[in-house]
Amino acid sequence: MSSDLRSTETGSGSDDVGSDEVSDFLSEHPALVKFGRVGWVSKGIVYTLVGLLAFSIAFGEQGGTESGTEASQTGAVARIAEASYGTALLILVAAGLVLYALWRIVTIVLPAKNDAHTWMTRAGYAVSTVVYLALAWTAVSYVRRSGSAESGQSGSSEESRVDGVTNEIMSHIGGRWLVALGGLVVVGIGVYFFIRATRRPFEDDLDGGGVGPVEHRHLVLMGRVGWTGRSVMMVLIGFFLIQAAWQADAEEATGLDGALRRSVETTFGTVLVAIVAVGLIVYGVYCVVSAPRRRLAPADS
């Protein structure tokens, strides 16, 4: 690998901590970046489907989806299972999500600075790894059940899981405060996502070029729209967690699907849900289109 390409992949100059180690590592394992980019495509497919499901909530009849599939990552997997070639596609998506998770693991262990920001970033990547490995397992589970979306959804919706966990926490002393704190943290993540959308640090994850007719500035615009949609999504989920704690009612807590369905019933809810839907669709497309320009970099980049 040439020195220019190595610099592009790491996105770091000679003054960055561990840049030489990262360059050497990528020179010895060039396939990791390619596999990771495949993972980004799978992630993009899932987000696009979630956005489409959210869109049907915003503009569908009575705020529901035609098939009753929930607007969540699990719901997106269920929708794939319903397709004609669902089983084959689920296998590809599951493999891609595993590759994406491995991409994140490698990113965590790459040489980087030893400061608070870097460790927080690593923690975020670790959570992302767990989430997408769990999602990959969900896809595998559908395959093992011959793509039966109905059996996969029965009794294990995102809404029921969130309600169950929240109810368990609130049954203990101080549980309401913990749920409220969790809601504030989720809202804080939403604010962080909005900062990413406005200040564009996600642009550092790209090597600076375009993809076919899509120029770099178009990729950046798509990223900004996508991160904005994700920001509103997290704020809505956090709001309902805080509301659950305030009213001491675990049923007020909800995941993405429930947050969208409840929001669409309010005065400006349809607008918010539409922002989330469009944002998630654009973010999904952004992940797919920008995959060839993705680079593997340490957590301090």
Side-chain angles (χ1 to χ4, degrees), residues 164-230:
V165 172
T166 305
N167 187 63
E168 176 64 25
I169 294 175
M170 291 178 62
S171 66
H172 299 285
I173 298 176
R176 288 176 63 184
W177 291 103
L178 287 176
V179 172
L181 178 61
L184 289 173
V185 169
V186 174
V187 170
I189 294 173
V191 173
Y192 169 71
F193 283 178
F194 184 72
I195 292 174
R196 286 186 66 87
T198 55
R199 296 187 179 180
R200 305 184 302 180
F202 63 86
E203 189 175 358
D204 296 335
D205 296 332
L206 307 175
D207 67 13
V211 180
V214 182
E215 300 178 9
H216 177 73
R217 60 189 178 90
H218 297 144
L219 292 177
V220 173
L221 178 59
M222 292 168 64
R224 298 184 72 170
V225 173
W227 280 100
T228 299
R230 296 183 73 192

